[in-house]
């Protein structure tokens, strides 16, 4: 831009000259016409006559580029996660899929149930969540349909933070003097017999386990090696449905509740999963899903009121009855408030950026809920595991839950949380850490694991993760670019200064 001061004639050669910034000189009018199109730039007519003309203040400006709004930054597309039912199945020698469990195991389980229904004193030990409780309710209703009198059926619900291998639990179970014992959805690991007195035990489960990861002397049927892995409630329903023609009409809604409780309410009930269209038409998806949240609520409260959930579920004939239960509604309100209080905790990341750690303190079992929530939101190309640690659930212990973030669910090979956790423990400077973390470390599923470990050992585990340490060369590219721009010395003003000096 060149400004012609007042008092300079507009048609003089000096007025028509343009300052050449490259050479720090005035370009003549002739040179100007050769180099720049100046039509319409000057308000005074171009003339070479010497006739005086009034002084003008003329500004020569380049046309300003049109101001355009920056296009909104395109959202990063969410990774495509294959539908669960499309998980490739394993086939037997005849080409038939092995689902929801090996045929031999399913047949042994059916015979076991039939034997128990023949006037035998039976103990049911269901897990505390919707999947475990509905599994137990399906089995109880089936045994009654098969002729077992209700007074011969007992249920044992574990204490907060406990498992079937604890001596206090074994003593409480033995007090029922059962002849037949059913353990449903409790997870599987080696251990002594379920109770000390003579009995027969069947484990119905879907958590990851090896062939010998079961209590001594027990039989088992497990879905963990038959993808897409069925829930314990679906496996129990599949086993029982063939034993009596009324199991379907009395237990189908329980099967859906338990399955949605573990696999989510977006699951597509397509093969190999059974057709449940009639069930959804009878009860509606909304009622079934609301019932799931209500049944899950009591075990998450600080009071750990699992008996309230079991009583409500076994007394109900439909999910709509659960929606009016005051105890369940109060428990859900309490849990929702606690989740809201804890869910906004900021994450910290491992040194390799693979693990996001959230640390909370709550007497309620909200850590699995928060882990599931963050798994749907937190995204990173390196992130593999969301870990939420609760230091306030059990005295002296840390309860933690792990989930795979949505951004990592389609990776190949798939993320295996159990192996990730074990791999971290194996890197500890002290080789005894894995043993000291205990039997409740890295249990559950490959996609949803966790543990209950002593606080000191958990801190040692965190040290291995190098929480807060930035990976080498892992600084933000945007920040590095800004810093580089701030240090730039080759500016326009510096350039003119150099030209003037020369």
């Amino acid at each position: 831009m060149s400004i012609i001061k007042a008092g300079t004639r507009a048609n003089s050669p000096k007025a028509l000259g343009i300052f050449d910034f490259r050479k720090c000189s005035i370009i003549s009018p002739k040179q100007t016409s050769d180099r720049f199109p100046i039509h319409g730039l000057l308000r005074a007519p171009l003339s070479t006559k010497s006739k005086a003309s009034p002084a003008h203040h003329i500004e020569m400006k380049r046309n300003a580029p049109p101001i355009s709004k920056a296009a909104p930054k395109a959202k990063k597309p969410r990774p495509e996660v294959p539908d669960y039912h499309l998980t490739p199945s394993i086939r037997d020698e005849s080409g038939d899929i092995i689902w929801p469990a090996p045929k031999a195991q399913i047949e042994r389980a059916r015979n076991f149930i039939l034997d128990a229904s023949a006037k035998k004193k039976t103990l049911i030990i269901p897990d505390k969540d919707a999947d475990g409780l509905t599994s137990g309710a399906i089995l109880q209703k089936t045994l009654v349909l098969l002729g077992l009198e209700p007074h011969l059926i007992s249920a044992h619900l574990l204490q907060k933070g406990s498992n079937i291998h604890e001596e206090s639990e074994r003593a409480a179970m033995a007090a029922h003097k059962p002849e037949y014992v059913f353990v449903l959805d409790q997870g599987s690991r080696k251990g002594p017999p379920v109770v000390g007195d003579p009995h027969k035990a069947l484990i119905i489960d879907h958590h990851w386990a090896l062939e010998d990861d079961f209590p001594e002397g027990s039989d088992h049927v497990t879905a963990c090696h038959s993808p897409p892995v069925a829930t314990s409630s679906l496996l129990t329903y599949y086993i029982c449905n063939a034993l009596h023609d009324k199991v379907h009409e009395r237990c189908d809604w329980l099967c859906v509740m338990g399955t949605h409780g573990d696999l989510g309410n977006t699951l597509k009930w397509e093969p190999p999963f059974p057709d449940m269209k009639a069930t959804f038409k009878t009860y509606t998806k909304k009622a079934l899903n609301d019932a799931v949240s209500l049944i899950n609520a009591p075990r998450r409260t600080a009071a750990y009121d699992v008996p309230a959930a079991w009583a409500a579920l076994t007394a109900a004939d439909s999910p709509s009855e659960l929606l009016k239960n005051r105890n369940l509604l109060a428990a859900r309100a309490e849990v929702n408030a606690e989740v809201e209080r804890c869910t906004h905790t900021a994450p910290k990341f491992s040194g390799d950026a693979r693990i996001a750690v959230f640390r909370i303190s709550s007497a309620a079992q909200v850590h699995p809920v928060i882990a599931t929530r963050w798994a749907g939101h937190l995204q990173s190309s390196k992130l593999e595991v969301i870990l939420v640690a609760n230091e306030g659930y059990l005295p002296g212990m840390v309860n933690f839950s792990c989930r795979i973030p949505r951004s990592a669910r389609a990776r190949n090979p798939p993320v295996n949380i159990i192996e990730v956790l074990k791999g971290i423990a194996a890197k500890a400077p002290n080789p005894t850490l894995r043993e000291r973390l205990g039997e409740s470390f890295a249990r559950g599923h490959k996609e949803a694991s966790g543990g209950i470990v002593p606080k000191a050992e958990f801190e040692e585990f965190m040290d291995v993760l190098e929480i807060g340490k930035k990976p080498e060369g892992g600084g933000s590219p945007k920040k590095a670019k800004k810093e580089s721009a701030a240090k730039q010395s080759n500016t326009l003003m510096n350039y003119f200064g150099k030209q003037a000096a020369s």
Side-chain angles (χ1 to χ4, degrees), residues 1-112:
M1 179 177 69
S2 174
I3 299 177
I4 301 177
K5 296 182 179 179
T8 303
R9 288 187 292 178
N11 57 356
S12 69
K14 188 175 181 180
L16 295 176
I18 298 177
F19 188 75
D20 188 340
F21 288 105
R22 292 169 296 177
K23 297 182 179 180
C24 298
S25 61
I26 300 291
I27 302 173
S28 68
K30 185 177 184 307
Q31 290 174 317
T32 302
S33 62
D34 292 339
R35 296 192 184 188
F36 303 102
I38 60 174
H39 307 295
L41 291 177
L42 299 178
R43 297 175 184 173
L46 295 179
S47 173
T48 57
K49 295 181 180 180
S50 58
K51 181 180 179 182
S53 58
H56 293 277
H57 181 84
I58 302 176
E59 264 188 29
M60 296 180 63
K61 298 181 180 179
R62 291 195 186 109
N63 289 331
I67 298 174
S68 59
K69 292 184 179 179
K73 189 176 180 181
K75 287 186 178 180
K76 187 176 180 180
R78 300 184 76 181
E80 291 292 331
V81 179
D83 289 330
Y84 189 76
H85 71 280
L86 297 176
T87 306
S89 298
I90 298 173
R91 298 183 179 271
D92 58 21
E93 296 177 355
S94 63
D96 296 330
I97 65 170
I98 303 174
W99 196 88
K103 289 181 180 179
Q105 292 183 13
I106 291 173
E107 286 305 312
R108 291 201 307 270
R110 285 171 176 162
N111 291 331
F112 192 98

Side-chain angles (χ1 to χ4, degrees), residues 29-189:
K30 185 177 184 307
Q31 290 174 317
T32 302
S33 62
D34 292 339
R35 296 192 184 188
F36 303 102
I38 60 174
H39 307 295
L41 291 177
L42 299 178
R43 297 175 184 173
L46 295 179
S47 173
T48 57
K49 295 181 180 180
S50 58
K51 181 180 179 182
S53 58
H56 293 277
H57 181 84
I58 302 176
E59 264 188 29
M60 296 180 63
K61 298 181 180 179
R62 291 195 186 109
N63 289 331
I67 298 174
S68 59
K69 292 184 179 179
K73 189 176 180 181
K75 287 186 178 180
K76 187 176 180 180
R78 300 184 76 181
E80 291 292 331
V81 179
D83 289 330
Y84 189 76
H85 71 280
L86 297 176
T87 306
S89 298
I90 298 173
R91 298 183 179 271
D92 58 21
E93 296 177 355
S94 63
D96 296 330
I97 65 170
I98 303 174
W99 196 88
K103 289 181 180 179
Q105 292 183 13
I106 291 173
E107 286 305 312
R108 291 201 307 270
R110 285 171 176 162
N111 291 331
F112 192 98
I113 293 171
L114 290 172
D115 292 343
S117 68
K119 310 295 182 183
K120 303 296 182 181
K121 198 168 184 180
T122 299
L123 178 64
I124 297 174
I125 310 167
D127 193 25
K128 58 191 174 296
D129 65 1
D131 188 32
L133 294 175
T134 53
S135 300
I138 291 169
L139 178 61
Q140 183 192 67
K141 291 177 183 292
T142 300
L143 288 169
V144 172
L145 286 171
L146 291 172
L148 185 61
E149 296 178 19
H151 74 271
L152 293 174
I153 304 173
S154 301
H156 176 72
L157 304 171
L158 301 181
Q159 296 299 305
K160 182 178 181 179
S162 190
N163 62 72
I164 65 168
H165 303 288
E166 298 284 348
E167 285 302 320
S168 58
E169 298 292 354
R170 295 182 71 238
M173 292 185 289
H176 291 278
K177 300 189 180 301
E179 298 173 79
Y180 281 72
V181 178
F182 293 88
V183 180
L184 302 108
D185 196 43
Q186 293 283 3
S188 306
R189 80 180 201 209

